[in-house]
Amino acid sequence: MSVALRVRRGAYVDSVTLMRVAEAVRRLPGVAAGALLMASEANRAALREAALWTAEADDAGPGDLVIAVAADADETAARALRHAEELLAARRESGGAPAAVRPRSLVRAARDFPDANLAVISVPGVWAVNEASQALAAGLHAFIFSDGVSLEDEIALKRRARERGLLVMGPECGTSLLNGVGLGFANRVRRGPIGLVGASGTGLQEVTTLLHRLGSGVSHAIGTGGRDLHDGVDGITTLQALELLGRDAATRAIVLVSKPASDRVAAHVLAAASGIGKPAVACLLGWRGPTPPGIHTTATLEEAAAAAVRAAGGPVAPLPAPSLPRRRGAGPVVGLFTGGTLCEEARALVGDAGSRFVDFGAAEFTQGRPHPMIDPVLRAAAVAATGGDGAAGVLLLDFVLGYCAHPDPVGAAAPAIREARALAARAGRELTVVAHVVGTEEDVPSLAAQTQALHALDVAVYPSNRLAALAARELAGGPGGR
């Protein structure tokens, strides 16, 4: 195996671009591994662990970009490095603003564009705090896509923002929709009367897309970052967002979505939502506390979407649930997810019929590598390996569309699904695959195109995460299942 590496001194490229270029490099024939990372200590360690580090990068610092490739031959590796450079150059040339007006800092950007009121921050976590501080100093709200920000820094940033009447969405904020403009992984959905607050990126995506499919629409969807309902953070951004939606004339009903949260903070934000004076629906996974007056709590994201449509005065037709596929074999459910909230919801619904559930967006899988909604390599390997798991009867998957997501998530998973089925068949078993696609017809690729591609793979597709999980549970209930 040949390892080639190139260092670009003082380069500054956003993390989403780095993720996408790295994935394009890894798709080249003969390339076994590829990474584009800033040379922070954590990333240097990750590259060494992946055997992608060579001595020529020893003097690289946190401000330098490292492009590393492992390939079957020196020529292949060199070609891959050139391809990465070409993709980076192409993105610079198509970057929108001409070089003469490209600011070198957020403070300068705020001076050059005085009407701007929001900064999107997508840099390695160790730099995100400084960039967010600059944004707040310049009077800008901050959407922090980056992970790797400490809890202490998050608390300090959010307290500072609150003092200035600004929002910090994040860190690790996957989705927001503000005045119809999508940030992060947001989907293309209709505008309408329902406002959302979410400490859950894929939870927001599931509810906003279901609202669209149910014929309603979204005024704003404000992501807060997954730790906002942590005891230490105390729901700072969630409480600010609720207040903003309460004052917003276009918002007639509010939805609050979160992964499992601190009981104390959950009770506090529910009480705040109850005092707004607008109908409110809360889907706080795992919440078992009392419900304040005026709050409709739901156990699933689909139920939250339907309840919100009713609260806003709209009709709700049930989502069309396809009939169960022919059972190919019996055995427990294995759930492999790219969305953490989708994983938690499905795990709870499947219950004892599940053997294992994995969230590939968890920190242990994203340290030094892209989120699985951008780079599905790790999840695809696990999908293929499930065919060799003699205990697995049903494979449950999510596919999440959106602005920054993989351009063809089903196509990326298709070889792994075929391999899983082939492995199971060689062992004398059959493996049923059940899936849900988060998206709309406005997304690129479209919901219909991804659903059709799954049908071509003989995968049973359900219109919500809830329905997919319930179908998987029922399919696992045969002889040998739990």
Side-chain angles (χ1 to χ4, degrees):
M1 190 65 65
S2 173
V3 176
L5 184 147
R6 188 167 297 168
V7 178
R8 291 181 56 190
R9 308 288 176 186
Y12 186 87
V13 183
D14 72 88
S15 55
V16 172
T17 296
L18 295 180
M19 292 172 187
R20 290 193 160 183
V21 173
E23 192 205 345
V25 168
R26 287 194 289 269
R27 286 183 169 194
L28 295 174
V31 172
L36 284 82
L37 298 170
M38 306 307 293
S40 64
E41 283 302 319
N43 286 337
R44 290 162 69 99
L47 289 171
R48 287 194 181 95
E49 185 177 351
L52 285 172
W53 190 264
T54 66
E56 61 189 293
D58 282 349
D59 63 345
D64 300 327
L65 171 64
V66 175
I67 308 171
V69 173
D72 57 6
D74 291 349
E75 184 180 342
T76 308
R79 187 164 57 245
L81 287 179
R82 288 196 299 274
H83 185 60
E85 294 275 19
E86 290 166 0
L87 290 175
L88 290 173
R91 286 181 175 270
R92 284 197 303 273
E93 290 165 4
S94 61
V101 295
R102 279 184 203 155
R104 300 289 297 176
S105 71
L106 284 174
V107 173
R108 178 57 189 268
R111 283 202 299 265
D112 290 348
F113 301 94
D115 293 335
N117 64 0
L118 169 73
V120 176
I121 297 167
S122 177
V123 298
V126 292
W127 292 353
V129 176
N130 182 56
E131 297 298 335
S133 297
Q134 286 195 45
L136 296 178
L140 303 173
H141 303 289
F143 176 92
I144 308 176
F145 189 76
S146 313
D147 60 4
V149 175
S150 71
L151 183 63
E152 292 73 22
D153 283 333
E154 177 178 350
I155 293 169
L157 284 170
K158 288 186 170 178
R159 287 178 176 172
R160 186 178 175 196
R162 182 176 57 189
E163 290 168 1
R164 292 167 176 255
L166 298 170
L167 285 177
V168 168
M169 293 167 274
E172 203 175 347
C173 189
T175 301
S176 279
L177 276 162
L178 306 174
N179 288 312
V181 177
L183 304 175
F185 292 121
N187 300 88
R188 301 179 192 207
V189 299
R190 186 184 306 107
R191 298 213 65 191
I194 299 171
L196 301 96
V197 185
S200 155
T202 50
L204 275 184
Q205 288 188 261
E206 172 77 343
V207 177
T208 54
T209 55
L210 289 176
L211 290 171
H212 179 97
R213 293 168 71 171
L214 290 169
S216 189
V218 175
S219 58
H220 311 278
I222 302 173
T224 66
R227 295 184 303 206
D228 197 66
L229 299 193
H230 183 281
D231 259 325
V233 184
D234 209 21
I236 290 175
T237 304
T238 300
L239 293 170
Q240 289 179 286
L242 286 172
E243 186 177 345
L244 289 170
L245 292 177
R247 294 200 305 263
D248 179 44
T251 300
R252 298 207 304 268
I254 295 172
V255 179
L256 179 61
V257 178
S258 176
K259 289 182 274 193
S262 155
D263 285 349
R264 181 188 64 79
V265 180
H268 183 39
V269 299
L270 287 174
S274 173
I276 288 176
K278 292 184 179 181
V281 178
C283 179
L284 306 181
L285 297 180
W287 170 251
R288 297 291 184 270
T291 302
I295 303 292
H296 181 151
T297 56
T298 68
T300 69
L301 300 164
E302 179 193 329
E303 290 164 346
V309 173
R310 291 190 198 95
V316 177
L319 291 170
S323 56
L324 283 176
R326 178 182 65 84
R327 181 177 292 154
R328 298 174 181 279
V333 178
V334 172
L336 303 178
F337 286 78
T338 60
T341 302
L342 301 178
C343 184
E344 288 299 321
E345 182 183 58
R347 189 202 309 269
L349 290 166
V350 172
D352 288 344
S355 63
R356 60 188 169 93
F357 281 77
V358 182
D359 168 19
F360 282 89
E364 63 189 287
F365 298 108
T366 57
Q367 180 71 35
R369 62 177 307 127
H371 191 281
M373 284 161 56
I374 299 170
D375 176 4
V377 170
L378 282 183
R379 206 265 293 253
V383 167
T386 302
D389 178 354
V394 181
L395 177 58
L396 178 60
L397 303 172
D398 66 341
F399 294 92
V400 185
L401 311 181
Y403 284 107
C404 291
H406 191 282
D408 181 11
V410 172
I417 293 172
R418 295 191 191 98
E419 184 177 347
R421 284 232 175 89
L423 278 172
R426 284 199 288 274
R429 299 184 297 110
E430 288 192 77
L431 183 66
T432 304
V433 184
V434 176
H436 166 54
V437 182
V438 178
T440 71
E441 292 311 306
E442 310 300 323
D443 285 320
V444 179
S446 71
L447 173 65
Q450 293 286 284
T451 301
Q452 187 175 11
L454 285 167
H455 286 159
L457 292 164
D458 198 19
V459 173
V461 185
Y462 288 81
S464 74
N465 192 55
R466 182 186 76 88
L467 290 170
L470 293 179
R473 183 179 72 182
E474 188 165 344
L475 286 164
R482 292 196 296 171

